[in-house]
């Protein structure tokens, strides 16, 4: 089951679910770590219920979101309500390097698998917890997902238009941010353990992680008692900057002008020298004050062209611009295709499934995505090859309902 990749000698027992956590272990698995995803048969990872499903046919193994975040892993189902199930997991942890979970603080303790308990039989374990609010504090038992955490951390207070309500983005960024922090923590801890022989207890609060991205906003309020306002697509330091409609149905492009050279180039590309010479647009501060009228001139120009034409024209003059891509644009993007980012792999239930290779490319040992596991698919390998259980022991545990 191991591959000739940087993390091929690392084994991880993975209790994480949904996205914050599974995405971190997916990155490690794609680079060779042996990630064992532990789920309950009757209570598997919630993300297995989420689509999209090919042909809209539900299966716990074929959901797009589950497959996206669980590539290259192994799967076993264990009933953690049974003492023998817990004992089986303890044996698995004892021959592993990392344990990771994103439950609220009470769950692992209930199973006798909190850090202090685990170190009694695995002293050098690297133990990672990703609770939404941490393991201490008055809200440690709160249950929150990405949208709630972005609201609580103040992200949604800033997203939206000035005259509108707070608006959540379509993607729960908190899931990805905490996952990258988990990967960094695990890799640094593995390196430290090589030198010291000691494990580590790592706690990453998803809430605090997102608050850490609010530094300038918090500083502004602390220093001047000024609350940041929603600004739509415009930043206060650049102008013009925004999302502009293009020719076609629901076609748009993003444009940012960062300096006076780019402003001059934009006026020349638009063949609007008069805008360059107009006093109301002669500096970035004046352009910001007159943003609405300036955006109207740019929109008049972009509406006459396709989004690709706008981008090509502006990029040829070193002006940052990109199309606002939809899913079809991304799947057909020539740049992504050339880099083999998307990969189609065989799937037992859907014949094939589209996956994404790692965005991180290592020159000598590039990672690669392998198919996400079916529920409980690797039971025999884990029990026989890793835990060295015999057929009789496995059959007895199966009769007792420890796994399926």
């Amino acid at each position: 089951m191991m591959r000739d990749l940087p993390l091929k000698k690392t084994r991880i027992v993975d209790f994480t679910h949904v996205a914050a956590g599974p995405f971190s272990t997916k990155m490690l698995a794609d680079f060779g770590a042996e990630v064992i995803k532990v789920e309950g048969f009757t209570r598997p990872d919630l993300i297995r219920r989420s689509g999209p499903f090919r042909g809209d046919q539900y299966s716990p193994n074929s959901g797009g979101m589950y497959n996206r975040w669980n590539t290259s892993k192994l799967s076993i189902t264990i009933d953690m309500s049974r003492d023998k199930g817990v004992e089986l997991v303890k044996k698995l942890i004892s021959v592993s390097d990392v344990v990771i979970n994103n439950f609220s603080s009470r769950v692992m303790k209930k199973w006798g698998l909190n850090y202090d308990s685990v170190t009694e039989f695995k002293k050098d374990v690297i133990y990672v917890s990703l609770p939404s609010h941490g393991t201490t504090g008055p809200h440690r038992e709160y249950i929150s997902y990405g949208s709630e955490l972005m609201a609580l951390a103040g992200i949604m207070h800033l997203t939206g238009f000035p005259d509108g309500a707070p608006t959540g983005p379509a993607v729960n960024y908190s899931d990805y941010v905490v996952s990258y922090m988990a990967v960094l923590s695990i890799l640094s801890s593995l390196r430290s353990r090589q030198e010291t022989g000691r494990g580590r207890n790592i706690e990453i609060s998803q809430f605090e992680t997102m608050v850490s991205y609010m530094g300038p906003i918090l500083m502004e309020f602390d220093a001047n008692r000024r609350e940041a306002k929603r600004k739509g697509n415009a930043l206060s330091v650049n102008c013009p900057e925004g999302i502009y409609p293009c020719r076609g149905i629901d076609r748009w492009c993003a444009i940012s002008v960062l300096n006076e050279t780019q402003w001059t180039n934009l006026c020349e590309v638009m063949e609007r020298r008069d805008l360059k010479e107009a006093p109301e647009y002669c500096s970035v501060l004046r352009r910001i004050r007159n943003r609405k009228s300036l955006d109207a001139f740019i929109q008049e120009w972009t509406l006459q062209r396709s989004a690709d034409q706008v981008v090509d024209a502006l990029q040829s003059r070193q002006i940052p611009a990109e199309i606002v891509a939809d899913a079809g644009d991304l799947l057909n993007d020539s740049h992504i295709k050339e880099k083999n980012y998307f990969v189609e792999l065989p799937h037992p239930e859907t014949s094939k499934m589209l996956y994404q290779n790692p965005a991180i490319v290592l020159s000598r040992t590039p990672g690669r995505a392998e198919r996400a596991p079916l529920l409980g698919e690797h039971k025999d390998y884990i029990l026989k090859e890793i835990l060295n259980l015999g057929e009789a022991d496995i059959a007895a545990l199966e009769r007792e309902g420890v796994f399926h």
Side-chain angles (χ1 to χ4, degrees):
M1 304 301 290
M2 301 248 182
R3 296 171 291 166
D4 190 20
L5 290 170
L7 298 175
K8 66 179 181 178
K9 295 182 179 181
T10 302
R11 181 177 292 143
I12 300 170
V13 179
D14 182 9
F15 286 97
T16 63
H17 59 289
V18 188
F23 184 61
S24 63
T25 50
K26 167 222 168 23
M27 287 187 277
L28 298 168
D30 285 347
F31 282 99
E34 188 175 61
V35 175
I36 300 171
K37 186 175 180 67
V38 179
E39 303 171 77
F41 184 79
T42 57
R43 296 185 65 182
D45 188 344
L46 287 172
I47 206 67
R48 287 181 179 272
R49 303 177 187 173
S50 300
F53 298 100
R54 189 178 291 273
D56 293 327
Q57 296 298 308
Y58 167 76
S59 161
N61 301 312
S62 63
M65 294 179 72
Y66 164 75
N67 279 271
R68 165 72 179 91
W69 288 321
N70 290 282
T71 54
S72 311
K73 300 179 185 180
L74 309 180
S75 172
I76 187 170
T77 59
I78 298 177
D79 187 346
M80 296 298 291
S81 69
R82 300 177 182 271
D83 290 342
K84 289 187 178 180
V86 174
E87 288 304 312
L88 198 65
V89 167
K90 287 182 177 179
K91 290 179 182 179
L92 191 56
I93 292 173
S94 69
V95 292
S96 301
D97 302 287
V98 180
V99 179
I100 183 170
N101 78 88
N102 61 344
F103 297 124
S104 63
S105 60
R106 62 182 174 80
V107 176
M108 296 297 275
K109 187 174 182 178
K110 177 184 68 175
W111 291 334
L113 295 175
N114 56 313
Y115 176 71
D116 290 341
S117 298
V118 170
T119 53
E120 291 178 4
F121 60 88
K122 178 66 176 175
K123 292 189 180 301
D124 64 347
V125 68
I126 295 169
Y127 190 97
V128 186
S129 300
L130 309 174
S132 61
H133 291 74
T135 57
T136 59
H139 297 164
R140 64 185 179 276
E141 301 297 344
Y142 276 25
I143 298 173
S144 299
Y145 291 93
S147 57
E148 293 83 23
L149 289 166
M150 286 191 294
L152 182 62
I155 304 296
M156 289 188 183
H157 177 71
L158 302 177
T159 52
F161 288 91
D163 57 350
T167 304
V171 175
N172 289 331
Y173 292 107
S174 57
D175 293 336
Y176 296 93
V177 172
V178 74
S179 292
Y180 279 109
M181 287 195 172
V183 169
L184 175 62
S185 300
I186 290 169
L187 294 179
S188 61
S189 297
L190 287 169
R191 178 62 181 271
S192 174
R193 194 178 69 172
Q194 285 181 333
E195 298 176 354
T196 67
R198 294 194 297 269
R200 190 163 295 175
N201 185 18
I202 302 167
E203 176 186 309
I204 305 175
S205 161
Q206 297 180 46
F207 170 43
E208 291 166 35
T209 295
M210 293 311 297
V211 172
S212 71
Y213 279 72
M214 299 292 286
I217 306 303
L218 299 176
M219 290 173 64
E220 175 71 6
F221 184 82
D222 184 56
N224 303 309
R225 290 296 184 266
R226 284 199 293 263
E227 283 281 8
K229 304 297 183 182
R230 290 183 284 280
K231 299 175 181 177
N233 296 312
L235 294 179
S236 59
V237 294
N238 302 323
C239 189
E241 180 170 67
I243 307 296
Y244 300 91
C246 299
R247 189 176 64 213
I249 299 174
D250 199 26
R251 302 301 292 173
W252 306 79
C253 67
I255 302 172
S256 294
V257 171
L258 310 183
N259 54 51
E260 293 307 309
T261 298
Q262 291 176 359
W263 167 238
T264 298
N265 290 347
L266 176 63
C267 293
E268 291 176 356
V269 170
M270 293 172 57
E271 298 181 344
R272 292 298 304 264
R273 189 73 186 179
D274 57 312
L275 297 180
K276 171 63 179 174
E277 297 172 351
E280 61 267 37
Y281 306 133
C282 67
S283 69
V284 66
L285 291 178
R286 291 196 176 188
R287 291 196 293 274
I288 289 173
R289 284 198 293 267
N290 296 284
R291 186 189 298 272
K292 188 173 182 179
S293 62
L294 179 56
D295 281 346
F297 286 122
I298 297 172
Q299 176 175 313
E300 181 183 6
W301 179 76
T302 58
L303 278 170
Q304 299 174 39
R305 294 158 177 81
S306 69
D308 287 321
Q309 289 173 328
V310 171
V311 170
D312 290 344
L314 298 184
Q315 286 284 357
S316 71
R317 298 297 301 273
Q318 303 297 300
I319 301 168
E322 295 291 355
I323 69 167
V324 176
D326 57 24
D329 293 319
L330 292 173
L331 290 174
N332 292 291
D333 186 278
S334 59
H335 182 82
I336 287 181
K337 282 186 175 180
E338 185 174 317
K339 294 172 72 67
N340 296 316
Y341 178 64
F342 291 115
V343 56
E344 199 168 63
L345 300 175
H347 192 280
E349 294 187 1
T350 65
S351 76
K352 59 184 177 180
M353 181 75 69
L354 188 69
Y355 292 97
Q356 292 158 272
N357 272 321
I360 301 169
V361 180
L362 305 184
S363 59
R364 295 182 182 178
T365 52
R368 63 182 182 272
E370 295 181 355
R371 176 179 61 79
L374 308 180
L375 185 62
E377 179 178 357
H378 301 97
K379 177 190 70 176
D380 287 346
Y381 167 76
I382 294 166
L383 297 178
K384 295 177 182 178
E385 302 298 323
I386 297 178
L387 296 181
N388 296 314
L389 295 183
E391 293 286 356
D393 292 330
I394 294 173
L397 291 171
E398 197 157 22
R399 283 195 299 271
E400 295 181 43
V402 173
F403 45 74
H404 294 265

